[in-house]
């Protein structure tokens, strides 16, 4: 039973090689401690299996539709735009209610209010646009839910069909200044996401936690929207917990 739950936390300024070394040391250290505590021998082949399926850090991924004004750092932790453009950028893999993970990501955001945090479906294809508005012609290609810094909360495609909510709505403004830090917490068992501002500039009593309902039977991935001003969004830290 002890092998069913592993927690993974890594600072995202590390290189891919350092990440692989960290995973290897974590797994072998855990197995060695389990052997000592249980007085049994665990085959090394099990370590290889765990390492193979161990989660890697979630990264920003540049889409073929993104032009040269949208940049992602080599380690995938920093997303930048250098000119006036509007883009949605995926962060991490697709997941669903069978993934059985709890995930937290700590980010430093960019130029308020010109960004949002949200989720997209596999059919989404509006990765770069001339403005904030998504194409209204074919909702099948615009599976997206976004929570912008000013509280604007549009939903389209599978998010509307599965959640039975209004196509768009407003929540309270949750970002007050440039470069504030936020937390995104995802629970795939309940398919919910909580997003809140954790910057030290905000008094704890004033922090508003927004809870987003995700589709139960559809693969989705985390994403961010960014535009208008040259700016960057940076992943500072992330943590996985497997839940069985």
């Amino acid at each position: 039973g002890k092998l069913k739950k592993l927690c993974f936390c890594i600072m995202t300024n590390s290189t891919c090689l350092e990440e692989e070394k960290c995973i290897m040391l974590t797994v072998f250290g855990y197995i060695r401690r389990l052997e000592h505590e249980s007085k049994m021998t665990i085959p090394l082949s099990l370590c290889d299996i765990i390492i193979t399926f161990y989660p890697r850090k979630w990264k920003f991924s540049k889409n073929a539709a993104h032009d040269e004004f949208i940049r992602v750092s080599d380690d995938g932790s920093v997303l930048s735009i250098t000119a006036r453009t509007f883009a949605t950028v995926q962060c991490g893999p697709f997941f669903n209610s069978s993934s059985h993970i709890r995930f937290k990501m700590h980010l430093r955001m960019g130029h308020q209010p010109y960004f949002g945090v949200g989720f997209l479906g596999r059919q989404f294809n509006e990765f770069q646009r001339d403005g904030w508005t998504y194409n209204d012609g074919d909702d099948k290609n615009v599976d997206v839910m976004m929570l912008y810094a000013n509280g604007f909360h549009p939903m389209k495609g599978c998010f509307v069909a599965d959640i039975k909510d209004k196509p768009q709505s407003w929540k309270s403004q949750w970002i007050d200044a440039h470069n504030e830090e936020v937390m995104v917490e995802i629970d795939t068992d309940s398919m919910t996401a909580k997003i809140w501002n954790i910057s030290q500039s905000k008094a704890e009593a004033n922090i508003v936690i927004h809870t987003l309902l995700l589709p139960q039977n559809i693969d989705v991935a985390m994403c961010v929207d960014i535009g208008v001003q040259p700016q960057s969004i940076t992943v500072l830290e992330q943590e996985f917990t497997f839940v069985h």
Side-chain angles (χ1 to χ4, degrees), residues 8-198:
F8 170 60
C9 182
I10 185 170
M11 295 300 292
T12 55
N13 59 359
S14 59
T15 65
C16 292
L17 181 60
E18 289 172 338
E19 181 183 6
E20 292 303 311
K21 179 187 269 188
C22 178
I23 292 172
M24 184 181 68
L25 292 175
T26 299
V27 171
F28 277 97
Y30 183 86
I31 294 297
R32 187 173 301 146
R33 187 185 70 183
L34 187 59
E35 285 183 322
H36 176 75
E37 293 176 350
S38 61
K39 308 298 183 183
M40 67 179 183
T41 300
I42 298 175
L44 288 178
S45 58
L46 180 59
C47 293
D48 294 336
I49 294 173
I50 295 174
I51 290 171
T52 299
F53 291 97
Y54 207 79
R56 273 58 180 173
K57 64 186 180 184
W58 289 15
K59 305 174 183 180
F60 291 119
S61 54
K62 189 169 180 177
N63 186 272
H66 293 145
D67 62 25
E68 68 274 15
F69 300 119
I70 299 167
R71 299 175 182 174
V72 174
S73 62
D74 290 341
D75 67 354
S77 67
V78 182
L79 163 67
S80 303
I81 60 170
T82 59
R84 183 183 177 88
T85 188
F86 300 82
T88 301
V89 180
Q90 184 172 331
C91 183
F94 284 93
F95 60 87
N96 56 43
S97 57
S98 300
S99 299
H100 298 302
I101 61 170
R102 292 189 184 127
F103 174 74
K104 290 183 179 180
M105 178 174 282
H106 179 188
L107 304 105
R108 181 184 299 114
M109 307 307 289
H111 196 289
Q112 192 274 351
Y114 304 118
F115 57 78
V117 179
F119 298 88
L120 54 80
R122 289 190 180 275
Q123 301 302 315
F124 181 83
N125 66 0
E126 296 273 319
F127 288 99
Q128 189 156 2
R129 306 176 301 282
D130 295 328
W132 292 114
T133 305
Y134 295 102
N135 175 24
D136 291 326
D138 186 359
D139 276 0
K140 293 181 179 179
N141 293 330
V142 197
D143 292 335
V144 67
M145 168 194 287
M146 196 65 59
L147 177 61
Y148 290 103
N150 63 358
F152 184 48
H153 179 45
M155 289 174 283
K156 294 183 74 66
C158 67
F159 290 89
V160 177
D162 195 73
I163 297 173
K164 309 296 183 185
D165 206 341
K166 295 179 181 179
Q168 63 185 32
S169 60
W170 285 89
K171 294 182 177 291
S172 59
Q173 180 171 324
W174 58 291
I175 299 289
D176 295 325
H178 307 325
N179 303 316
E180 290 196 325
E181 296 179 12
V182 307
M183 184 71 75
V184 180
E185 183 178 291
I186 299 167
D187 184 336
T188 64
D189 282 358
S190 62
M191 286 303 282
T192 57
K194 295 181 179 180
I195 304 174
W196 68 95
N197 188 330
I198 61 171

